[in-house]
Amino acid sequence: MNFIFKFPNFRISSLVIFIALFQFSSAQDSLFTKKSVFDFPDHINKKRLTGVCVGSVGLYSSIMVGVGLEWYGKQPNGKFHWFNDLHEWNQVDKAGHFYVPYFTTTFTYNMLRWSGMKNTPAALTAGAFGFLSLAAIEIPDGMTKKYGASWSDILFDFLGAGFATSQYLIWKEQRISIKYSLHAVNYTRGELRNRADDLYGTSLGEKILKDYNGITTWLSFNLYSFNHNIKPKWLNIAVGYGAGNMYGGFENTWTDKNGVFHDRTDVKRYRKFFISLDADFTKFKTNSKTGKMILGVLNIVKLPMPALEFNTLGQVVFHPMYFLNLDVPLYLRK
């Protein structure tokens, strides 16, 4: 399933809200202080655990009912079937099937730890919920004629949940976080811009959610967590992945709403790889609980910083400020 592109605004908005909440709650070391209501107790608190279980199931059920009514209820149904979309959108859409289970897992883990559950059972339980909550979407997808269940979506759901779970099991913290950034694409006027507007929307909000040519997914490594001699504590190194020149799921051909066929296979699709500096916002010092909350939520976003790009067009590009359209790229090799 094309995780972001095929979803309506209702579903996209729900996922974005969840992502923000998940990232906020994952900043346990900075946010949950001892001797407070946010502290992790050393034994099971039955009231907290009951509240967490009922609240999580209730919230998840509400979202899925809403999605079912607003999305699947309006789609023609058929016999359950599979669809191989592994090579669609140069796998940029698979990022959604990686980071949403990741953040679901970190959120669930912190809530279970807040309920008094020990690290290992909390990590395993959270990982299972993070995986199953997203993988379950493949059932209605598979019964929708227009789409189909995707084994690659399930794989990335598992990898995202497993990525968070394994870090809790090994380190009891998230030393490597997943982050997002958008670099605005200046589409050429004419049929390519018209196609991009149809696919990705025209507003900033739409592009943030589904412009696959501008979205970059990052793995951000906190250096201090691996070596306490490295300062400052918030310093991260990030590696990113994106793609460009995509005007269709598999290739740059399409038929517009007037029935006109367009063949732009002359525009070469390519992959982008980045390295850049970043920051773990949760490690910034502040005595304000509100400030810690804001920093926790912001930690989902890659810090605007210089970045070096290597792509499959053979180019090496230096970006003085890789974020939205704030920089003028310098081509070191074309």
Side-chain angles (χ1 to χ4, degrees):
M1 174 180 65
N2 182 335
F3 189 77
I4 299 177
F5 176 67
K6 294 194 307 195
F7 282 13
N9 289 338
F10 171 82
R11 189 164 177 178
I12 293 171
S13 300
S14 300
L15 291 172
V16 170
I17 291 171
F18 267 129
I19 288 173
L21 290 174
F22 299 155
Q23 184 63 16
F24 156 70
S25 63
S26 68
Q28 64 192 51
D29 293 334
S30 301
L31 188 59
F32 299 139
T33 57
K34 292 183 178 181
K35 298 181 181 180
S36 76
V37 69
F38 298 111
D39 187 25
F40 292 168
D42 56 7
H43 62 279
I44 294 291
N45 184 311
K46 292 184 179 180
K47 290 184 178 180
R48 289 186 181 183
L49 184 59
T50 300
V52 167
C53 293
V54 172
S56 298
V57 172
L59 190 59
Y60 178 76
S61 299
S62 298
I63 292 234
M64 293 310 296
V65 168
V67 168
L69 293 174
E70 292 293 324
W71 183 241
Y72 293 111
K74 300 178 181 180
Q75 303 294 325
N77 294 326
K79 185 179 179 181
F80 183 87
H81 64 286
W82 294 88
F83 173 67
N84 184 6
D85 63 349
L86 177 61
H87 301 291
E88 197 172 27
W89 305 109
N90 278 359
Q91 294 81 45
V92 173
D93 63 310
K94 299 307 174 190
H97 283 278
F98 187 77
Y99 59 67
V100 172
Y102 170 85
F103 290 120
T104 306
T105 299
T106 59
F107 169 75
T108 306
Y109 170 86
N110 281 282
M111 293 300 97
L112 292 174
R113 294 284 283 130
W114 177 74
S115 301
M117 190 176 289
K118 299 299 183 182
N119 176 72
T120 298
L124 294 174
T125 303
F129 180 75
F131 166 63
L132 293 174
S133 62
L134 268 293
I137 295 175
E138 299 306 316
I139 297 176
D141 260 4
M143 298 178 67
T144 303
K145 289 184 178 180
K146 190 176 180 180
Y147 307 126
S150 167
W151 65 265
S152 57
D153 286 353
I154 295 175
L155 173 62
F156 277 84
D157 291 337
F158 177 80
L159 292 176
F163 187 67
T165 299
S166 60
Q167 291 190 72
Y168 284 130
L169 293 176
I170 298 170
W171 299 313
K172 297 183 179 181
E173 64 177 350
Q174 296 298 301
R175 297 184 179 184
I176 309 170
S177 55
I178 303 175
K179 296 197 176 187
Y180 164 96
S181 71
L182 177 73
H183 196 73
V185 180
N186 184 22
Y187 291 104
T188 305
R189 290 184 179 275
E191 64 176 345
L192 292 182
R193 177 174 291 186
N194 293 336
R195 176 60 171 169
D197 290 347
D198 289 339
L199 284 175
Y200 309 126
T202 57
S203 69
L204 179 60
E206 289 176 305
K207 291 182 179 298
I208 287 174
L209 296 169
K210 59 183 183 179
D211 189 345
Y212 289 154
N213 291 317
I215 291 174
T216 304
T217 302
W218 303 82
L219 290 180
S220 188
F221 299 76
N222 181 250
L223 302 181
Y224 177 81
S225 296
F226 290 99
N227 186 339
H228 286 4
N229 293 322
I230 299 177
K231 302 291 179 66
K233 293 182 178 180
W234 50 261
L235 181 62
N236 283 24
I237 292 291
V239 292
Y241 173 73
N245 284 349
M246 296 186 295
Y247 297 95
F250 294 97
E251 58 183 1
N252 291 339
T253 60
W254 68 94
T255 301
D256 63 26
K257 59 184 178 181
N258 296 318
V260 178
F261 179 74
H262 298 259
D263 185 344
R264 291 308 310 266
T265 51
D266 59 300
V267 179
K268 188 176 180 180
R269 300 155 72 95
Y270 67 102
R271 302 174 189 274
K272 299 179 283 188
F273 306 91
F274 301 88
I275 185 168
S276 178
L277 295 176
D278 190 29
D280 185 340
F281 297 145
T282 67
K283 287 184 166 51
F284 289 153
K285 290 185 177 180
T286 176
N287 294 323
S288 167
K289 290 184 178 180
T290 300
K292 291 176 181 177
M293 285 171 137
I294 294 173
L295 290 173
V297 172
L298 289 177
N299 211 44
I300 186 176
V301 180
K302 164 70 172 62
L303 185 70
M305 290 288 284
L308 191 61
E309 171 191 342
F310 304 87
N311 62 51
T312 54
L313 295 177
Q315 299 171 335
V316 178
V317 188
F318 175 70
H319 299 271
M321 187 60 66
Y322 192 75
F323 192 78
L324 293 178
N325 57 351
L326 301 180
D327 77 308
V328 178
L330 174 63
Y331 287 83
L332 303 180
R333 185 175 70 195
K334 289 189 176 182

